[in-house]
């Protein structure tokens, strides 16, 4: 009896040390995350003004939301635009980075060179520089090729016309293909995360697959993908957030003009209604993940 | 049963041989395809970089010359000179170091401590904290930036300072905007720029580490803090390295925080975003030769510190990716 209690004492002691490790973070969470989050929700429903003697916040109910949805015509257009670009960017980034990660994870001559090259977007992209660079270099291509497609070297339109697809699908494909150049630049971190994930899949699983005579395709679908599911979720969340908050995202730019001119209430209302939509999208992603997880874990 | 198996053996052997031959042929085709694909992607990645370099040294007279596509026939470094003054380069780099890089380093340290606590210890409320961690990853920095600006303009600690002000009349609420503290304080407490992801990566790594060393240290009477500093940190250089690269890059590229927290001495990323406007105010037309060369030169100036670092550390970075062991 006594011994059990002493053991529990050690456990308790250890758990107390655990609390010590996370206490600063809890304070930080409260001060710099949770409280600002609640404040920000409150601001979205009020009129916020910076005055000489301090801040004045006046609760105005849904006025901000009414304003952005009815009187600010650019907002709904911006949301539509960014949702559209999300619809093709998101799956393309995930698939491209997964494919590239699988290739770069394999063994072939020149692997180090290609890896070093493919990780440069980690260093360069994500900042203002890539926006400048890509807009300038693609307008250059455009003027050279004399076509209206930015960044595509082939006449995608004509090929798609020949295939005779419905207009909606072909315009979607057209957009997707012409933006591959930009999207490849956004795959850096994703590739890194995927490779890191693949390296932690036990070699044993691949060996079993090999002994059982699985083809490479089967190995990919039945060994690599199931063991990458959780990394896939991380990458999906990261990509979604990244796409939604990047600097040249239409909604973000609109909201920031409001914030910079100190119309914090309206800007925050924009951000929150946008974020609610992002959260809905992420919810769908999570549902997919759940379904996939259930299917593969059997 | 055994007889049937024996009879089947020669047949299987030929089958295997045939299969191996066809596999070899298929492998050759696959490897050619793989290289073609890799080269195509490499082209897409190299093209803007090359464009940047070639435009930055292109003489203005060459800009609208259709015969000059890749290598300019005349070189000039005027663009670099112009970009150097437009970006206010030295000052901007210094303020990047002061605001962003320092807070990156703080973040790396504080996140390691938090992640160790979450990965190795069991305590009440840990599940709630894990949910909050996911929430910090999910909620973009932009959602909380306005209240943070408001709070930093009059730093209060849970209302204690304003209460003190009301009671004694002493106002301790300092305005921290335009100082480094806006960047340093959140990083110090592990809730800085994308700290959630960094903590997450750390947790994954710490969970994969063998426990035995730490247990031995515990038995030998080392305190948890000592164990953490002397045993855990030295054996997790791989993850620290990766996380450092991520954090430094993210901070270096950060634009939103800097724009909101400060209004002078902008870091380099902000200066670069404004370079076109700066050029226009200096009297250069946007999209003419001089302005384009200067913009691209500005990009080169912006990218080069990180790119040089990357080239130096590239081998180690690539190796460390294989070892951090993210399992999701």
């Amino acid at each position: 009896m006594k011994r059990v209690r002493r053991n529990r004492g050690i456990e308790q002691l250890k758990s107390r040390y655990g609390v010590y490790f996370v206490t600063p973070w809890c304070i930080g969470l409260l001060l710099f995350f949770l409280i600002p989050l609640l404040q920000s929700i409150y601001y979205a429903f009020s009129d916020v003004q910076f005055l000489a003697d301090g801040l004045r916040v006046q609760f105005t109910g849904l006025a901000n939301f009414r304003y952005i949805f009815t009187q600010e015509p650019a907002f709904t257009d911006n949301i539509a635009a960014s949702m559209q670009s999300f619809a093709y960017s998101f799956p393309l980034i995930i698939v491209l980075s997964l494919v590239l990660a699988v290739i770069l994870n394999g063994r072939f001559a020149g692997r180090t060179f290609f890896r070093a090259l493919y990780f440069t977007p980690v260093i360069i992209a994500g900042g203002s520089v890539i926006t400048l660079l890509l807009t300038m270099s693609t307008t250059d291509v455009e003027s050279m090729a004399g076509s209206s497609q930015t960044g595509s070297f082939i006449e995608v339109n004509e090929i798609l016309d020949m295939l005779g697809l419905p207009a909606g699908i072909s315009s979607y494909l057209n957009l997707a293909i012409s933006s591959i150049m930009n999207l490849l630049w956004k795959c850096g971190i994703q590739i890194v995360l995927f490779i890191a994930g693949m390296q932690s899949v036990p070699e044993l699983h691949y060996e079993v697959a090999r002994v059982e005579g699985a083809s490479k395709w089967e190995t990919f679908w039945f060994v690599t993908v199931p063991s990458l599911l959780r990394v896939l979720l991380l990458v999906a969340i990261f990509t979604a957030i990244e796409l939604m908050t990047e600097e040249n995202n239409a909604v973000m730019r609109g909201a920031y003009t409001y914030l910079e001119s100190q119309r914090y209430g309206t800007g925050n209302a924009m951000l929150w209604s946008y974020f609610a939509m992002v959260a809905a999208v992420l919810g769908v992603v999570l549902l997919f993940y759940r379904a996939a997880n259930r299917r593969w874990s059997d | 049963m055994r007889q049937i198996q024996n009879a089947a053996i020669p047949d299987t052997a030929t089958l295997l041989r045939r299969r191996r031959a066809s596999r070899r042929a298929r492998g050759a085709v696959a490897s050619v395809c793989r290289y073609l694909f890799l080269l195509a992607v490499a082209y897409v990645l190299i093209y803007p970089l090359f464009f940047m370099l070639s435009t930055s040294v292109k003489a203005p007279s060459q800009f609208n010359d259709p015969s000059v596509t890749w290598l300019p026939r005349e070189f000039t470094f005027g663009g670099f000179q112009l970009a150097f003054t437009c970006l206010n380069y030295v000052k901007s780099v210094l303020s990047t170091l002061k605001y962003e890089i320092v807070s990156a380093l703080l973040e790396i340290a504080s996140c390691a401590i938090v992640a160790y606590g979450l990965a190795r210890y069991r305590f009440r409320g840990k599940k709630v904290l894990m949910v909050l961690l996911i929430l910090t990853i999910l909620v973009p920095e932009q959602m909380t930036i306005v209240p943070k600006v408001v709070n930093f303009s009059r730093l209060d600690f849970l209302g204690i300072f304003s209460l003190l002000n009301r009671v004694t009349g002493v106002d301790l609420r300092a305005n921290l905007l335009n100082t480094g503290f806006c960047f340093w304080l959140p990083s110090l407490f592990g809730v800085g720029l994308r700290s959630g992801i960094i903590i997450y990566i750390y947790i994954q790594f710490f969970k994969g580490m063998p426990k035995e060393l730490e247990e031995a240290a515990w038995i030998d009477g080392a305190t948890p803090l000592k164990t953490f500093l002397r045993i855990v940190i030295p054996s997790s250089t791989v993850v620290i390295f990766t996380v450092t690269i991520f954090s430094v890059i993210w901070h270096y590229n950060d634009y939103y925080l800097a724009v909101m927290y400060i209004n002078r001495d902008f870091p380099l990323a902000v200066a670069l975003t404004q370079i076109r406007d700066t050029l226009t105010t200096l009297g250069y037309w946007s999209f003419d030769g001089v302005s384009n060369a200067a913009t691209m030169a500005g990009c080169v100036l912006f990218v080069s510190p990180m790119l040089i670092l990357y080239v130096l550390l590239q081998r180690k970075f690539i190796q460390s990716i294989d070892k951090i062991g993210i399992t999701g």
Side-chain angles (χ1 to χ4, degrees), chain B residues 107-150:
Chain B
E107 178 181 68
I108 296 154
S110 64
C111 288
I113 297 171
V114 180
Y116 185 68
L118 288 175
R120 270 290 190 264
Y121 292 97
R122 261 183 287 162
F123 48 86
R124 210 183 290 162
K126 189 177 142 180
K127 276 211 170 131
V128 180
L129 287 184
M130 289 308 283
V131 171
L132 282 175
L133 176 67
I134 304 296
L135 202 66
T136 58
I137 297 177
L138 281 177
V139 177
E141 195 78 33
Q142 286 86 348
M143 303 308 303
T144 55
I145 190 102
V146 175
K148 273 197 243 171
V149 169
V150 170

Side-chain angles (χ1 to χ4, degrees), chain B residues 266-284:
Chain B
F266 282 123
L268 202 54
V270 180
L272 186 72
T273 340
Q274 295 166 347
I275 192 171
R276 285 217 160 263
D277 302 332
T278 322
L279 281 166
T280 326
T281 41
L282 283 178
Y284 295 97

